[in-house]
Amino acid sequence: MSEPPPDPEGDQAELVAPWLRVVAATAYVPRSSTEVRGLLTALLDRLTTALTADPPDVAAGLRVGELMVEGALTGETTLEGSLGVLADGFAVAGYGARPVAALLGYVAAGYAAALRKRTLAQQENMKLALLTAKQRAERDRRATENRFREVFDASAVGIAITELDGTFVETNPALATILGRPTEDLRGRTLAEFIADDDEPPLVVGEADRRRVVRPGGDTAWVYLTTSMLRDDSGVARYRVTMVQDLSELQLLGNQLSHQSLHDALTGLPNRLHFESRLEAMHAQTPPHRPFTLLCLDLDAFSLVNTTYGHATGDRVLRTTANRLTAAVAGKEALVARIGGDEFAVLIAHDTQAPPVSTLVGALTAELAEPDYDAGVGLAVSATVGAVRCTPAEMTSAEMFRAADAAHQHARSLGRHQWAEFDGHADRATRKVGTLATGLPAAWENGELRVAYQPVVRLADLVQVRVRALVHLPTDRDTAELAESTGLSVPLGPWLLTQSGTHLDRWLSLFGPVADEGEAVHRVLLSALQSADADLSATVNDVLSATGAPAGSLEIGLDTRAVLTCRGDAQDNLRTLSDIGVVTALHGFTGGPREVAMVERFSVRTVVLSDPFEGWRPDWLPREAVPVRATLELIAALRSVGASVGVLGVRDHAEATWWAEQGVRTAEGQAFGRPGGVADVTGR
Amino acid sequence: MGRGDVSVPGMGRSDATSWVPDGIDLERPSAARLYDYLLGGAHNFAHDRELAERFIKAQPNAREIARHNRSFLRRSVLFMVERGVRQFLDLGSGIPTVGNVHEIAQTADPGAKVVYVDYEEVAYAHSTLMLVDNPLATIVQADLTRPDDILDAPQTRELLDFDQPIGLLMAGVFHFVPPGKDPGRLVAHYRDAIPVGSYLAFSQFTRDLMPSEMDRIVEVMKSSRDPMYPRSHAEITALFAGFDLVEPGIVPTAKWRPDPGFDDGGDPDRAGIYAGVGRKH
Ligand SMILES: C[S@@+](CC[C@H](N)C(=O)[O-])C[C@H]1O[C@@H](n2cnc3c(N)ncnc32)[C@H](O)[C@@H]1O
C-alpha cells in the first residue's frame, strides 16, 4: 500500500513539462506543443489513476505504451527518456517504488509490442506498395511486349534479332518471306549465310546498306539492311537487330500507295484525312492547358491564277504555298496540311507562352505575299484565314477543326485577304483585323490586260463549239504589280464582258453552224465578287445591244458559292440573266444538295463541275471509288433537272472520253488547246 | 538472362518472382529511405540503414537535424495556410511516415490540395498507395531538375490552379541539386510558373553551421544515389530572387518561427540546415 497521500493535480503539472522536453528533444511529432502537451497530460492521467487504484492497476501501463507509439512518441531514445522522467517524478510524488517499477515495465512492454507491430505494418505496406508498382511495371512491360510482338509479327519489314556473331535469336514472318524459307529453317543460322556478295565490307551499325539475299532456288533479291545494337543498362552490346527491307517493286509500290493515301500528291503535305488524325493524336498527347493555334486558310483568287495562267502555274502556286507554310513554322511543333483544293491548315502547339494570333497570321500571310518567280512570271498570293486558339481542355480536336472552319467561313464572307478568329465566348467568329491590302493593279490602269480565249468542246464528238473568254495578264510585267493583280476583281468582270463582246459575232459565225440548237458560243465564268456585282445585268444588256447578238449566244457562269450564300446581288443576277435569255451557268459546283436544288429552282442551264477529284485523273480511279460514284450520281441528278454538265481542266483525250461516257456535255482543258488570241482560235 | 541483361521484349526473363521492382537498386541506398530511417520509419532496406549508421557517425546530430527539418516543413505549411494558401507543390516529398503535407494542410482546411513530387521509387510507390482515396492529393514521379515534366504533368494541371497562390515546398531537397544544374535558373523556372502572392518554403544543408561534420556527410553520401551539395547563406539568399523573405529570414531550421516550449530545444546552430520562406512579388 502506498503510504504518502498522493496529490495527482500537483504531480501532473510538475511531470508534464519535463516529459514534454524529453519528447521534443528525441521525437518528431507532427503536432503543436499544445496538442502534444494534451496527449502527455492524458497519458499521465492514466498512469496516476492506475497507481492510485487499490491495488495498483499496473497492467494499464500496456495501453499507455501503445498510445505513445500511436502518438508518434517514437524517437530513438524517447521511451528511455520518458521512463526516466516518469520514474523520478513518481518517486518524488511518493508512490511506492515497486508498483511504479511494475507499471513502467508494462509501459515499456506495450510500447515495444506496438512499435514492432508498426514496423511490421510499415514493411508490409512498403511491400504492398512495391508489389503494386512491380505489377504495374509488369503490366506495362507486357503491354509493350505485346505491342512489340504485334509490330514484329505484322511488319512488312523483315526483322532479325541476332547474337553478336550473327546467329539468329529471333526472326519475324516478314523475314522468312523475304528469304523465301520457313522460320524453322532459319534457326541457328546466320544472316550472312543468306547474303549473296559476302566479300562486301561488313555492315556498318546504324547505316542502311543495299545487299542481295539468296533465295532457295538460287535467285536473288535486293534488300536494304539496317543494323543496330541492343545494349544493356551499362551500355554493353548484347544483341544485334537487323531490319531487312525488300526492295522489289511490289514492296515499293505498297509503301508508295500508303504514302499516297495519306499525302497530297501535288505538295507532299498530309491530306485532310491524315491531318484530322494527326490533329486528334496531338490533341490527345498535349497537356490539357497547353495552347494550340489552328489556322485554316485558302488562297484568294486562286481560280483566277488557274484560269489566267493555267493549271501548271496554279499547281506551282500550291506547291510554293505548301513550302512557304512549312518554312514559316519550321522549328515549331507544328503541322501543315493541304485539306482541299486551295485550302491549307496549319496547326501549332505552343509552349506556355503563345504569341498573339494576329502576329502568327501576319507572319504567315507576309511569307505568302513574297512574289515567286518562274519563267519571268512573278506571282504572289494572298490568303483568307480563319483561326482558333484554345487548349485541349477547352475543345475537342473535332470542335477545334469546326471552329477554325467557322472562322474561315466568316473571314471569307468579309472578302479576300481577311482573317478572323473564332470567338469562343460569343460562339461565333468575329473579325479582328481589317483589310491588309487591296488595290487596282497597275496593269489594269495601264491598259496592259488582254482577253484570251480558251476552246470549249462538245465531248460527244470533240468538236469545238464555244470559247471561254478570260483575262490574260502579260507575263513581262513588274512582279509587285502582278502580285496586286491577284486582288483584281470586280472591275475585271465588266471589262472582260465588254472586251470579249466585240468578238461575239466572230464566234457566232464560226460555231453557229456546228453548235446545237440553243447553245451558246461564248462563255464567261465570273468570280464570286463579280457574280455579286449589282451592275452585272446592265453590263450584259449593254454588250448584247452593242453587238446585236442574241442573248442565247452568251453563256455566263456565276460562282456557285456566291449564289448559294446570297452574296450581294448574285441571286438576282442569276434570275435576271435567265429572264433576258442568257444561258446561265454555275461554276465552282461541288454538288451539295442545296446546290443541286438551286439548279432546279433557277433553271440553270449549265453546271461546270469544280474539279471533283482534286486534280486526280478520273479515268485512273476505280469505278467503285466513293468520289467517282458520287460524281456520277451528281451528273445524273443535274441532267434530270435539265442542266447540261461541263468540266474544266481535261488533260487528254482519254480523260475526255471518260467524262463523255458519264454524260458530260462540254469540256475545257489542255487536251483541247490553251488560251490564245482570236487568231489562235480561228486558225486552229 | 540474369539481372542487368538487356531485356528484349518477348524474349522472357527469369526474375519474375521478386517483389522488388526492377527500377529499385537495393544495393544503392537512397536519401529518401535514409531520411525515413532517421525519422524512425521502417520503409528502408539493409543498405539504407547501413548508410544511415555511417551518416550518424559523421554527424551525431543527424536525427535531430532530420526532426528539425521536418518540423520546419510543418510550420511553413501552417504559415502559408494561415496566409490563405490552399494548394501545395511539394518537391522532393520523401517517404510519408509521419506529418505529411496533405495531412497538415487538410487538417487545417479539408479542401487543400497537394501535389507531391519525388523521383525515388519507394517514395513514389508508397505515396501512390497512401493517396488512392484522396482525390485532393497526388504524386508525380519526376526529377525536380526538369521542371516542365512536373509543371506540365496532367496530375499537376488537373489539381493545381496556377492563377491562385501556390505553396512551393523545397524542404531538405535542394542539397541534392548539383551546382552544374544551374540552381538559380531552376528555382526561377518554378517561380515564373506560379502567380504573385505564392510562397516558397526552402531548406537545405549548409557548411556555415558545423563545417567538419558537413564535410564528413558529403563524403558519406557520395556512395548513395543522392550525393549532397551544401550551400552558404549567401547562395541560398540568391535562390530567393523574386521572393520577399518573411521574418526571420534565412536561419537554422530550429530558429524559423519555432513553437515555443516544444521544438526550440537544444542548440539551434546544431540544426545543420538553413531554412526560409519567401513570398513572390
Ligand atoms: C530528405 S528528403 C526530404 C523530404 C521532405 N521534403 C521533408 O523535408 O521532410 C529528400 C527527398 O527528395 C528526393 N529528391 C532528391 N533529389 C530529387 C530530385 N532531383 N527530384 C525529385 N526528388 C528528389 C529524395 O528522393 C528524397 O525523398
Side-chain angles (χ1 to χ4, degrees):
Chain A
M1 288 311 99
S2 48
E3 318 88 62
D7 166 16
E9 297 299 309
D11 297 347
Q12 290 250 356
E14 241 152 78
L15 258 175
V16 169
W19 196 5
L20 182 63
R21 269 197 301 281
V22 165
V23 168
T26 58
Y28 170 63
V29 190
R31 268 174 288 169
S32 71
S33 58
T34 321
E35 286 169 314
V36 179
R37 188 175 289 114
L39 170 66
L40 296 185
T41 309
L43 294 183
L44 211 49
D45 256 350
R46 285 176 181 262
L47 293 174
T48 42
T49 311
L51 282 176
T52 41
D54 190 12
D57 173 20
V58 289
L62 272 181
R63 182 65 190 138
V64 172
E66 281 169 22
L67 288 171
M68 282 180 69
V69 173
E70 276 171 33
L73 312 181
T74 50
E76 266 286 288
T77 55
T78 310
L79 177 67
E80 228 176 286
S82 300
L83 294 184
V85 167
L86 292 172
D88 288 354
F90 289 140
V92 171
Y95 292 107
R98 282 170 139 266
V100 168
L103 179 69
L104 296 185
Y106 274 106
V107 171
Y111 180 97
L115 194 65
R116 191 165 46 245
K117 231 168 79 192
R118 192 190 74 168
T119 301
L120 288 178
Q122 282 185 0
Q123 283 186 344
E124 199 49 47
N125 220 357
M126 177 169 68
K127 214 157 149 174
L128 183 61
L130 293 180
L131 201 57
T132 316
K134 168 97 182 163
Q135 281 164 350
R136 196 179 42 230
E138 198 55 37
R139 208 175 42 235
D140 289 352
R141 195 175 58 76
R142 255 200 310 276
T144 315
E145 230 172 77
N146 289 344
R147 271 200 302 278
F148 170 83
R149 260 295 135 207
E150 230 160 77
V151 173
F152 191 77
D153 289 343
S155 173
V157 175
I159 306 172
I161 296 168
T162 62
E163 303 281 4
L164 295 181
D165 66 7
T167 315
F168 288 128
V169 177
E170 186 140 2
T171 56
N172 74 341
L175 185 67
T177 311
I178 293 170
L179 297 179
R181 298 160 205 269
T183 301
E184 304 82 71
D185 290 7
L186 301 178
R187 204 155 291 148
R189 304 181 65 176
T190 71
L191 189 56
E193 294 175 40
F194 301 99
I195 305 282
D197 325 276
D198 44 12
D199 46 336
E200 295 246 351
L203 292 169
V204 180
V205 170
E207 274 174 32
D209 214 339
R210 219 164 75 108
R211 294 291 166 94
R212 281 185 310 154
V213 294
V214 195
R215 298 208 167 117
D219 61 335
T220 60
W222 283 106
V223 295
Y224 249 133
L225 295 182
T226 319
T227 120
S228 51
M229 289 297 179
L230 273 183
R231 294 174 192 281
D232 66 12
D233 294 342
S234 48
V236 177
R238 295 285 170 165
Y239 298 96
R240 198 191 268 272
V241 182
T242 306
M243 308 275 184
V244 184
Q245 198 171 357
D246 192 340
L247 287 182
S248 66
E249 287 199 68
L250 201 72
Q251 192 66 36
L252 281 181
L253 190 67
N255 293 345
Q256 202 158 335
L257 279 180
S258 82
H259 182 82
Q260 275 171 3
S261 67
L262 294 175
H263 290 79
D264 163 43
L266 180 65
T267 61
L269 292 180
N271 60 18
R272 187 184 191 98
L273 196 75
H274 192 28
F275 180 74
E276 283 180 9
S277 76
R278 290 282 307 275
L279 170 64
E280 205 179 302
M282 268 173 86
H283 183 277
Q285 286 158 9
T286 301
H289 296 286
R290 218 176 129 191
F292 270 136
T293 306
L294 174 57
L295 306 171
C296 284
L297 56 98
D298 70 354
L299 303 182
D300 296 332
F302 181 67
S303 61
L304 199 67
V305 172
N306 250 350
T307 49
T308 310
Y309 294 106
H311 280 295
T313 306
D315 287 353
R316 189 163 61 79
V317 168
L318 292 175
R319 269 196 299 269
T320 306
T321 304
N323 291 341
R324 290 186 176 176
L325 291 175
T326 308
V329 298
K332 294 196 173 75
E333 202 183 315
L335 183 63
V336 178
R338 182 180 174 205
I339 56 172
D342 63 340
E343 280 185 59
F344 294 84
V346 180
L347 175 70
I348 305 171
H350 302 283
D351 299 323
T352 34
Q353 286 313 343
V357 174
S358 58
T359 310
L360 283 175
V361 173
L364 283 183
T365 49
E367 185 75 38
L368 294 181
E370 200 64 36
D372 170 34
Y373 295 87
D374 184 54
V377 187
L379 264 183
V381 294
S382 66
T384 299
V385 186
V388 59
R389 157 77 50 86
C390 68
T391 65
E394 294 168 320
M395 286 188 195
T396 65
S397 60
E399 284 166 348
M400 267 178 84
F401 208 12
R402 268 202 301 279
D405 199 38
H408 187 207
Q409 299 281 354
H410 181 68
R412 245 192 277 197
S413 73
L414 300 171
R416 62 190 41 172
H417 212 162
Q418 304 283 342
W419 74 276
E421 183 175 355
F422 184 79
D423 180 348
H425 297 294
D427 199 29
R428 70 190 152 82
T430 47
R431 182 180 153 183
K432 287 275 173 76
V433 164
T435 307
L436 295 172
T438 35
L440 208 54
W444 160 253
E445 283 181 354
N446 298 344
E448 289 173 327
L449 299 183
R450 297 273 175 277
V451 177
Y453 292 102
Q454 159 94 36
V456 179
V457 301
R458 181 168 57 211
L459 279 173
D461 50 8
L462 299 183
V463 170
Q464 185 173 346
V465 289
R466 204 173 303 166
V467 287
R468 170 151 67 99
L470 39 86
V471 180
H472 186 73
L473 295 166
T475 57
D476 54 350
R477 289 264 323 290
D478 180 332
T479 50
E481 292 168 22
L482 265 170
E484 291 280 86
S485 73
T486 53
L488 179 75
S489 185
V490 177
L492 264 183
W495 179 84
L496 179 61
L497 282 164
T498 315
Q499 291 291 313
S500 63
T502 58
H503 299 131
L504 193 48
D505 54 348
R506 202 77 79 85
W507 309 134
L508 268 174
S509 57
L510 193 61
F511 302 128
V514 287
D516 289 314
E517 182 69 28
E519 240 177 354
V521 294
H522 184 132
R523 167 184 280 180
V524 176
L525 301 182
L526 297 176
S527 75
L529 282 177
Q530 292 164 349
S531 305
D533 184 0
D535 297 330
L536 179 61
S537 41
T539 310
V540 172
N541 262 327
D542 288 351
V543 169
L544 290 175
S545 52
T547 59
S553 58
L554 201 53
E555 180 185 58
I556 297 184
L558 301 190
D559 180 82
T560 305
R561 198 198 295 267
V563 178
L564 191 66
T565 58
C566 304
R567 186 169 191 172
D569 285 350
Q571 290 202 351
D572 279 347
N573 285 339
L574 188 58
R575 207 173 285 119
T576 314
L577 290 176
S578 171
D579 287 349
I580 59 178
V582 169
V583 177
T584 53
L586 285 174
H587 70 102
F589 199 88
T590 58
R594 289 179 54 216
E595 293 184 0
V596 178
M598 213 164 58
V599 171
E600 190 175 19
R601 181 163 138 230
F602 291 97
S603 311
V604 173
R605 302 261 304 273
T606 310
V607 168
V608 181
L609 295 185
S610 152
D611 187 18
F613 307 114
E614 301 192 39
W616 288 81
R617 292 193 61 121
D619 52 330
W620 290 5
L621 291 171
R623 262 199 103 76
E624 62 281 4
V626 174
V628 174
R629 290 202 329 249
T631 305
L632 299 192
E633 278 165 24
L634 174 63
I635 294 170
L638 291 172
R639 293 181 64 190
S640 76
V641 296
S644 85
V645 180
V647 292
L648 305 179
V650 173
R651 276 159 280 218
D652 57 23
H653 282 210
E655 204 178 324
T657 308
W658 189 90
W659 284 113
E661 281 166 1
Q662 315 316 326
V664 170
R665 190 166 174 81
T666 58
E668 301 177 27
Q670 72 186 42
F672 317 112
R674 299 185 162 282
V678 177
D680 294 324
V681 179
T682 48
R684 212 158 355 221
Chain B
M1 274 166 67
R3 269 185 87 82
D5 277 21
V6 69
S7 131
V8 177
M11 295 186 60
R13 33 193 312 155
S14 56
D15 54 3
T17 47
S18 159
W19 56 269
V20 178
D22 299 337
I24 299 187
D25 186 350
L26 300 180
E27 309 289 313
R28 285 189 76 199
S30 83
R33 288 173 257 146
L34 161 67
Y35 187 67
D36 171 69
Y37 177 74
L38 290 178
L39 285 175
H43 308 101
N44 38 66
F45 302 107
H47 280 89
D48 305 313
R49 295 190 285 272
E50 246 163 57
L51 176 76
E53 290 311 330
R54 280 193 287 137
F55 194 100
I56 293 171
K57 209 175 258 163
Q59 168 51 286
N61 230 24
R63 287 202 164 90
E64 201 177 329
I65 290 174
R67 242 179 14 245
H68 278 309
N69 183 64
R70 192 83 180 150
S71 182
F72 157 72
L73 173 67
R74 171 170 175 278
R75 293 192 311 271
S76 66
V77 168
L78 289 174
F79 172 86
M80 293 182 196
V81 169
E82 264 169 41
R83 271 149 194 81
V85 177
R86 289 295 178 272
Q87 25 178 18
F88 296 89
L89 182 58
D90 184 1
L91 303 175
S93 47
I95 297 171
T97 299
V98 279
N100 297 295
V101 171
H102 75 283
E103 291 160 4
I104 299 165
Q106 291 177 352
T107 303
D109 180 340
K113 296 172 177 174
V114 181
V115 173
Y116 289 112
V117 176
D118 207 298
Y119 66 4
E120 205 267 351
E121 300 77 11
V122 175
Y124 174 73
H126 199 284
S127 304
T128 307
L129 192 69
M130 177 183 62
L131 298 173
V132 264
D133 295 325
N134 195 327
L136 298 184
T138 183
I139 175 147
V140 177
Q141 186 175 17
D143 185 336
L144 74 89
T145 62
R146 299 171 48 131
D148 284 334
D149 291 0
I150 293 162
L151 295 170
D152 290 341
Q155 300 104 299
T156 312
R157 289 286 156 184
E158 247 159 58
L159 210 55
L160 302 186
D161 176 355
F162 281 81
D163 294 328
Q164 297 296 321
I166 290 180
L168 190 58
L169 311 174
M170 299 192 199
V173 65
F174 223 69
H175 39 243
F176 299 116
V177 176
K181 296 250 171 154
D182 200 348
R185 270 253 307 282
L186 210 54
V187 178
H189 197 132
Y190 288 104
R191 179 198 63 212
D192 293 346
I194 56 180
V196 170
S198 293
Y199 286 88
L200 164 68
F202 183 98
S203 69
Q204 89 142 73
F205 267 102
T206 180
R207 235 186 132 265
D208 296 4
L209 314 164
M210 298 186 287
S212 51
E213 284 91 338
M214 190 66 241
D215 292 345
R216 290 205 296 265
I217 295 182
V218 168
E219 212 38 54
V220 168
M221 290 302 284
K222 277 188 182 153
S223 63
S224 80
R225 299 189 351 174
D226 306 286
M228 276 173 48
Y229 308 91
R231 287 190 173 83
S232 68
H233 195 278
E235 285 172 311
I236 296 173
T237 308
L239 295 177
F240 274 92
F243 292 93
D244 295 321
L245 278 167
V246 305
E247 281 300 311
I250 296 165
V251 293
T253 42
K255 277 191 179 158
W256 196 91
R257 298 178 181 243
D259 183 353
F262 189 39
D263 48 15
D264 57 353
D267 175 2
D269 290 336
R270 296 183 58 76
I273 293 184
Y274 272 139
V277 172
R279 181 178 187 278
K280 177 172 172 175
H281 58 238

